[in-house]
Amino acid sequence: MGLFSRIPFRPALRFFSWSVQGGCVMLLFQNYVAEVTMCIGPSMLPTFNIVGDIVVVEHVSRHYRKLDLGDVVVCVSPTNPQKAICKRVLGLPGDFVCVDPTLSERRYITVPPGHIWLQGDNFTNSTDSRKYGPVSLGLLRGRVLCKIWPNFEWIRNGFEEQISQPSMDRELVVER
């Protein structure tokens, strides 16, 4: 009988094996399906609090669903790769966007292919694409699905589709 055939050693080895497998499954889930993270800072006021809201970030849509204008996303910071940023998508590849809508003299650019234009909801206190330009889609980590703390709330697209109602004059013109 060798060292590995002792009875007390087998349960410990089995526990270690299951722990490693469970850790691998959790890591794969966190990297490819969804993760729970905290958004801290004033840039996304009033959508998120300054002190930090805990949100669920899903990673599936970046591979299988196109981004929409108004989606809140988490991506690696273009200025500091050790940090993640949480911003709203205001421009998709090919879109013509205003660089800084808070300035009286407005400048417009076209978002290049493979990039998105990100801005915080708090225009007066946000470091975003106005400072570092269009963000590469390769830095995108995922789309914010919901806020789970302090209050549960689904994160909706910041833009609502406008349904135009035909006026009475238009209807009369069409009928003639």
Side-chain angles (χ1 to χ4, degrees):
M1 286 184 49
L3 176 67
F4 296 107
S5 63
R6 291 188 188 151
I7 304 267
F9 185 71
R10 284 187 183 206
L13 183 61
R14 191 175 304 124
F15 176 77
F16 178 73
S17 173
W18 281 103
S19 297
V20 170
Q21 290 175 12
C24 289
V25 168
M26 286 175 49
L27 186 63
L28 286 171
F29 186 85
Q30 181 177 346
N31 285 334
Y32 296 103
V33 180
E35 69 177 294
V36 176
T37 189
M38 184 179 279
C39 291
I40 299 173
S43 70
M44 284 302 288
L45 276 172
T47 306
F48 299 122
N49 297 312
I50 294 175
V51 293
D53 290 340
I54 297 176
V55 298
V56 174
V57 179
E58 58 90 10
H59 302 293
V60 177
S61 68
R62 71 178 170 169
H63 300 292
Y64 300 109
R65 176 187 165 269
K66 70 178 186 73
L67 287 174
D68 291 325
L69 288 176
D71 284 346
V72 178
V73 296
V74 172
C75 60
V76 176
S77 171
T79 57
N80 182 357
Q82 302 299 319
K83 291 186 177 182
I85 58 171
C86 180
K87 306 289 180 196
R88 192 174 298 277
V89 176
L90 291 187
L92 297 170
D95 285 353
F96 196 61
V97 296
C98 179
V99 173
D100 194 349
T102 62
L103 299 176
S104 59
E105 188 176 311
R106 301 224 167 118
R107 191 173 61 112
Y108 295 87
I109 67 162
T110 301
V111 179
H115 291 74
I116 52 178
W117 190 265
L118 300 176
Q119 283 186 285
D121 288 352
N122 184 0
F123 281 0
T124 59
N125 194 4
S126 177
T127 303
D128 46 36
S129 286
R130 294 175 293 172
K131 178 180 180 203
Y132 42 72
V135 176
S136 171
L137 284 169
L139 297 176
L140 184 67
R141 286 180 43 195
R143 186 175 60 93
V144 177
L145 186 63
C146 63
K147 178 170 52 170
I148 57 175
W149 190 83
N151 299 322
F152 182 86
E153 175 184 345
W154 292 105
I155 301 300
R156 304 208 188 297
N157 184 306
F159 303 121
E160 293 181 13
E161 212 174 299
Q162 293 183 353
I163 301 170
S164 60
Q165 297 284 332
S167 66
M168 292 300 280
D169 295 18
R170 239 188 209 165
E171 288 179 16
L172 291 173
V173 171
V174 172
E175 288 178 1
R176 287 184 198 170

